[in-house]
Amino acid sequence: DCIHYKVREDGRILSRAAYIVLGVTVEGYKDILSITVGANETSKFWLGMLNDLKNRGVQDVLFFCVDGLPGFKDAIQAVFPQAQIQRCVIHMLRNSFKYVNYNDLKKFSADFKAVYNAPNESAALSELETIKEKWGKKYPYAISNWENNWEDVSSFFQFSGDIRRIMYTTNIIEGLNRQYRKVTKTKSVFPSDTALEKMLFLASRNVTKKWTQGTGTGSGVESVDCLVWRTAYQLSVEKRKAGIDL
């Protein structure tokens, strides 16, 4: 994900994007893999970021959860062609809500929960068809948004319910971004890209100190999460060795 800041350069104030990559290992540990300040968010810059991660030793990625930035999927597939991609459900909902009248928004939102909370992909498609019958004529673009991107929206259905909640949205990294904003909110303009990177790096050190085995809630979910991660990764490796497309 990206956070946008203002940076002074040659007497001008320019917009900069801080590109943040947060990963979760197969053991369930979170880590901040990269913080890089660059131009406004583009898929071309992300391509460079992903290549940098690979050159630094990231050998494989099972699963990406991303927003709907144009070209982002192509950038991921160019560097990690076997990785699965999940479009953030929250971003998808926001995109659909743009086409829905405010008076219908609450009902439309409630109906859509049946799609992403469905027990499996087949049930989710059935629920989407039900919503299309109810709302499709009134809000066709709100529904087609999901139909056209279903391949990337539905990836998380292959995993158990315990782990889906950390896979179908970018909430984990957006929570990290909120921590960054708390630290940087008093600084309206940074004197340089380097100054911004240093502040984010120092903030990251404080944030990561608080992280434990980090994707669960402390209620025993952690062990389930880790088991699912490891099982999914092992299955992925076996399929790749056998030459089976994921």
Side-chain angles (χ1 to χ4, degrees):
D1 200 6
C2 276
I3 319 175
H4 297 274
Y5 293 98
K6 298 294 184 182
V7 174
R8 192 180 304 277
E9 183 179 284
D10 298 328
R12 298 176 299 162
I13 296 177
L14 305 176
S15 294
R16 285 286 190 266
Y19 291 75
I20 313 295
V21 181
L22 187 151
V24 181
T25 69
V26 290
E27 290 79 22
Y29 288 94
K30 293 183 291 185
D31 197 8
I32 300 168
L33 303 182
S34 181
I35 304 173
T36 305
V37 175
N40 286 334
E41 187 175 16
T42 64
S43 58
K44 184 178 180 180
F45 198 97
W46 272 117
L47 177 62
M49 287 277 297
L50 294 171
N51 275 310
D52 179 63
L53 285 176
K54 191 168 188 178
N55 292 335
R56 286 166 48 202
V58 177
Q59 297 178 6
D60 198 5
V61 179
L62 172 65
F63 199 91
F64 280 91
C65 185
V66 300
D67 58 21
L69 179 72
F72 203 168
K73 178 180 179 179
D74 294 334
I76 291 171
Q77 291 178 333
V79 183
F80 297 103
Q82 299 283 6
Q84 298 178 64
I85 299 170
Q86 172 68 47
R87 284 280 295 273
C88 173
V89 169
I90 302 302
H91 283 81
M92 288 290 296
L93 287 171
R94 290 172 184 166
N95 288 337
S96 292
F97 291 166
K98 292 188 295 186
Y99 303 105
V100 179
N101 186 288
Y102 179 80
N103 293 329
D104 292 330
L105 200 54
K106 189 173 181 179
K107 292 180 180 178
F108 184 88
S109 176
D111 287 345
F112 238 102
K113 288 182 180 180
V115 176
Y116 57 85
N117 286 332
N120 53 57
E121 185 177 357
S122 296
L125 284 169
S126 177
E127 294 293 347
L128 183 61
E129 188 62 30
T130 300
I131 290 174
K132 184 176 182 179
E133 291 175 1
K134 180 177 180 179
W135 297 102
K137 290 183 179 180
K138 192 172 185 180
Y139 304 118
Y141 293 110
I143 307 300
S144 63
N145 177 45
W146 288 74
E147 293 176 326
N148 296 337
N149 293 286
W150 186 255
E151 179 183 356
D152 298 332
V153 175
S154 60
S155 299
F156 72 96
F157 281 114
Q158 63 189 290
F159 297 94
S160 71
D162 292 312
I163 201 170
R164 287 182 191 176
R165 59 188 174 80
I166 65 167
M167 300 182 80
Y168 66 38
T169 76
T170 55
N171 283 351
I172 289 181
I173 196 166
E174 289 182 1
L176 173 62
N177 290 347
R178 284 193 293 272
Q179 297 298 316
Y180 288 144
R181 291 189 181 99
K182 287 181 181 179
V183 175
T184 59
K185 65 181 179 181
T186 58
K187 198 77 174 177
S188 58
V189 180
F190 285 85
S192 66
D193 289 353
T194 302
L196 173 56
E197 285 183 338
K198 285 181 177 179
M199 180 167 279
L200 294 175
F201 171 73
L202 293 173
S204 298
R205 293 183 64 182
N206 290 330
V207 170
T208 54
K209 285 178 182 177
K210 302 175 184 177
W211 286 352
T212 57
Q213 187 166 330
T215 58
T217 62
S219 60
V221 176
E222 291 94 333
S223 60
V224 177
D225 286 346
C226 296
L227 176 61
V228 174
W229 278 118
R230 286 195 292 270
T231 302
Y233 182 75
Q234 289 165 1
L235 179 61
S236 169
V237 171
E238 289 171 3
K239 284 184 176 181
R240 292 175 195 183
K241 287 181 178 178
I244 301 173
D245 291 333
L246 294 174

